[in-house]
Amino acid sequence: TFQITVQYQQAVNGVSCVSKVLTLDTMNPNVRRVEYAVRGPIVQRAVQIERELREGVKKPFTEVIKANIGDAHAMGQKPITFFRQVLALCSYPDLLEDNKFPEDAKKRARRILDACGGHSIGAYSASQGIECIRQDVARYIERRDGGIPSSPDNIYLSTGASDAIVTILKLLVCGEGRDRTGVMISIPQYPLYSAALADLAAVQISYYLDEENCWSLNVEELRRALKEAKQYCKPRVLCIINPGNPTGQVQSRQCIEDVIRFAKEEHLFLMADEVYQDNVYADGCKFHSFKKVLFEMGPEFSSTVEMASFHSTSKCYMGECGFRGGYMEVINMDPQVKAQLTKLVSVRLCPPVPGQALLELVVNPPQPDEPSYSTFMKERTAVLAALGEKARLTEETFNSVPGITCNPVQGAMYTFPCISLPQKAIDKAKEEGLIPDMFYCMKLLEEEGICLVPGSGFGQKEGTFHFRMTILPPTEKLKVVLQKIRDFHLRFTQEFS
C-alpha cells in the first residue's frame, strides 16, 4: 500500500518514475526523417507573428501575407457559385424545396444523394468511391483525351491527389539493401514526394530539371540519374509533375513521348501528377495528358507501360483545397495487384464524401443548355485569366530586380526565381546554422511580413538559391507583395555587400 501511495504521489507531483513508451529514440525513425517545407519552420514563425500582431506587438507591417502555399481560397479567390450551390443542397437537402437554387444544381444534388447510403453525404461510400461519380470521371477523361476509352474500374477516388500518390508509392516500395525500391523524382520537387519516400524508407533518385531552359526535363538527365542509382538501389518508379510544382513549366508533347519511351526501356512504373492541368498560361504551351500521349503512341506502349495519373479539386480554377477531393486512374496494372490496391484503400473506409461530390461537379459541370452555364463559364474564365495575368506580372517584376532571375511561369500557380546572395549573407547564414535561402526568407518574413518557402525545401542545384512564391494573391495585393520583395532584396544585397 505504501509503495502504491508513493507512486501515486510522484505521478501527482508530475515526476515520472517510469520512462515514456514513446520517445524520439523509440519512435518510428522514418517519421523523424520526414520534412515538409511548405508547412515548415518559416510558416510556424509566420503563425507566431500573426499572434503577436493580434496582441498589439508593433511590427513594420500590419499583416502577414502567406504566399507559401497553393491555397486559392485562403488568398481571397471566390468559390465557383454552382459548386457551392450543389454542395449546400447535398449538405442540407431541405433546400431542394427552395426556388432560389437553379434546376441544374438541384438535378446534380439529387443524383449525388441518390447514390449515397440513406440519401446522405454523411454516410460512408464504397472504398473506391461512389460508382456514378467514378463513371463520370471516366467520361471526363475520355472527353479530355479525345475519345480514348477510360474505365470506371480503373478510377479510384481519393482524399486529394496526395493520398492517392502515397497509396501507389506504398504498393511499389519493397526490397532490402541494393534491391530497395528507388523512386525518381524531379529536383526541384513538391516535398510530398521526398516526405513520402522518407516515411516509406524508399530510395530517392533525384533528377534535375534544366533551369537554363525554362525548367525543362531532359531524358539524358534521367539516364544519368538512373545509371548512378542502379549502384545502390533498384529503380522502379518515375514521378513526373506536369505542369510543374514549384517550377511552373509545361511539358511539350515531344518531351512526354521521350519520357514514356524511357519508362518502357527501363521498365519503370510511371506516376503522372497532373493536378494543374487547367493552369496553362504561356503562349505556345498546351497541356497534354500522359495517358493521351501514351495511347497515341500505339499498342507497343499503351498495352505495356504501367502508369497512374492523378488529379485533384484543390487546384486549377476550383481551388477547393479543404474538401480534399481527387482521383487517380491506373493503367496496365496487374489485376492481382489491383485487388491489393482495392484492399489497401478499403482499410481507410472511403474518401470524404463531400470531396467526392465536389469532384463530380468538376467532371460534370453545367452544360450550354443548362441555366447555370453562363455564370459558371464566366467565373471559370475569370479565375484562369487572372492567374495568367499574375503569372506574367510576377515574371516581369522579378526580372526587373538586379540579382533575381525568373523563368516564365508557363503553368501551375507558383514562381521559383533564382536569387543571388552576397557571400557575407551566406557566411552569416552559416554562422546562424541556417541554409542561406532559409536565412533570406526568414529575414523577409521578419522585416516585411511576407511568408515564402526557401528553395532548399524543394531541392536545388548545389550553390544556387531560390524561393517559391504562389501567384494566388489578388492582383492589387500581389503588386504590393512583389514591390516589398523587390525593396527587401535590394536592401538585403546592400546590407551584406
Side-chain angles (χ1 to χ4, degrees), residues 81-86 88-89 95-110 366 370-376:
T81 304
F82 181 75
F83 293 173
R84 290 302 181 89
Q85 285 174 330
V86 179
L89 292 163
L95 293 173
L96 287 163
E97 306 308 317
D98 191 323
N99 58 15
K100 288 193 192 79
F101 289 83
E103 276 310 309
D104 50 351
K106 290 180 179 180
K107 184 180 165 189
R108 297 292 197 294
R110 287 191 188 101
E370 292 183 308
S372 300
Y373 179 76
S374 62
T375 302
F376 168 76

Side-chain angles (χ1 to χ4, degrees), residues 64-316:
V64 173
I65 300 172
K66 289 181 183 159
N68 62 297
I69 195 163
D71 189 349
H73 292 191
M75 288 277 100
Q77 184 180 307
K78 294 282 182 284
I80 299 291
T81 304
F82 181 75
F83 293 173
R84 290 302 181 89
Q85 285 174 330
V86 179
L87 291 167
L89 292 163
C90 289
S91 300
Y92 190 55
D94 286 5
L95 293 173
L96 287 163
E97 306 308 317
D98 191 323
N99 58 15
K100 288 193 192 79
F101 289 83
E103 276 310 309
D104 50 351
K106 290 180 179 180
K107 184 180 165 189
R108 297 292 197 294
R110 287 191 188 101
R111 184 165 185 267
I112 293 164
L113 290 169
D114 286 348
C116 294
H119 296 274
S120 169
I121 58 166
Y124 287 131
S125 77
S127 297
Q128 202 170 332
I130 294 170
E131 188 175 356
C132 71
I133 298 178
R134 288 191 290 114
Q135 288 167 352
D136 283 349
V137 169
R139 281 192 278 267
Y140 162 83
I141 292 169
E142 285 181 3
R143 285 195 307 276
R144 182 197 69 187
D145 292 344
I148 291 162
S150 175
S151 165
D153 291 341
N154 291 334
I155 306 294
Y156 288 77
L157 306 191
S158 57
T159 307
S162 305
D163 173 53
I165 288 165
V166 172
T167 299
I168 290 292
L169 286 171
K170 265 187 187 171
L171 287 181
L172 284 156
V173 174
C174 67
E176 296 298 330
R178 288 184 62 171
D179 285 332
R180 189 67 175 165
T181 294
V183 179
M184 301 184 74
I185 66 171
S186 61
I187 298 297
Q189 52 103 24
Y190 175 49
L192 163 71
Y193 290 91
S194 52
L197 298 182
D199 188 24
L200 296 166
V203 180
Q204 176 179 318
I205 305 169
S206 300
Y207 65 88
Y208 288 88
L209 300 176
D210 183 359
E211 185 168 10
E212 303 302 311
N213 287 296
C214 214
W215 296 113
S216 60
L217 194 164
N218 185 318
V219 171
E220 286 314 306
E221 169 61 11
L222 292 179
R223 289 192 208 289
R224 177 207 63 78
L226 187 86
K227 187 180 174 186
E228 280 182 22
K230 281 179 174 175
Q231 296 169 35
Y232 55 84
C233 69
K234 184 164 186 177
R236 300 178 70 211
V237 192
L238 171 56
C239 298
I240 308 284
I241 309 174
N242 179 48
N245 174 10
T247 41
Q249 83 286 5
V250 178
Q251 286 181 4
S252 68
R253 190 199 159 84
Q254 185 58 55
C255 175
I256 293 170
E257 280 191 26
D258 293 345
V259 168
I260 290 169
R261 280 196 187 88
F262 173 78
K264 179 176 163 48
E265 282 167 25
E266 299 295 345
H267 204 54
L268 298 171
F269 188 103
L270 255 179
M271 291 177 66
D273 180 340
E274 298 176 331
V275 302
Y276 297 99
Q277 55 190 259
D278 291 328
N279 299 109
V280 177
Y281 319 118
D283 292 339
C285 287
K286 187 184 173 190
F287 170 74
H288 301 276
S289 82
F290 264 78
K291 184 192 177 186
K292 183 174 193 278
V293 176
L294 174 68
F295 276 76
E296 287 175 348
M297 288 171 73
E300 180 195 347
F301 295 93
S302 63
S303 61
T304 58
V305 175
E306 295 158 76
M307 186 172 92
S309 63
F310 308 90
H311 195 19
S312 161
T313 60
S314 301
K315 309 300 176 185
C316 298

Side-chain angles (χ1 to χ4, degrees), residues 65 67 389-401 404 406 409 415 417 440 444 448 450 452 467 469-471 473-490:
I65 300 172
E389 184 52 44
K390 290 187 280 190
R392 285 183 285 278
L393 173 69
T394 303
E395 178 203 341
E396 284 167 14
T397 306
F398 280 147
N399 281 328
S400 73
V401 184
I404 300 184
C406 183
V409 183
T415 179
Y440 178 94
L444 173 67
E448 298 286 357
I450 294 169
L452 306 178
F467 59 75
M469 186 187 92
T470 161
I471 60 169
T475 306
E476 289 314 306
K477 186 170 271 193
L478 182 64
K479 286 177 181 172
V480 172
V481 169
L482 291 169
Q483 186 60 46
K484 283 183 166 213
I485 294 172
R486 178 193 171 87
D487 294 346
F488 169 80
H489 186 80
L490 296 173

Side-chain angles (χ1 to χ4, degrees), residues 16 18-32:
S16 172
V18 182
S19 65
K20 288 191 181 292
V21 173
L22 185 62
T23 67
L24 275 176
D25 292 330
T26 61
M27 73 175 283
N28 181 339
N30 296 335
V31 174
R32 274 208 316 274

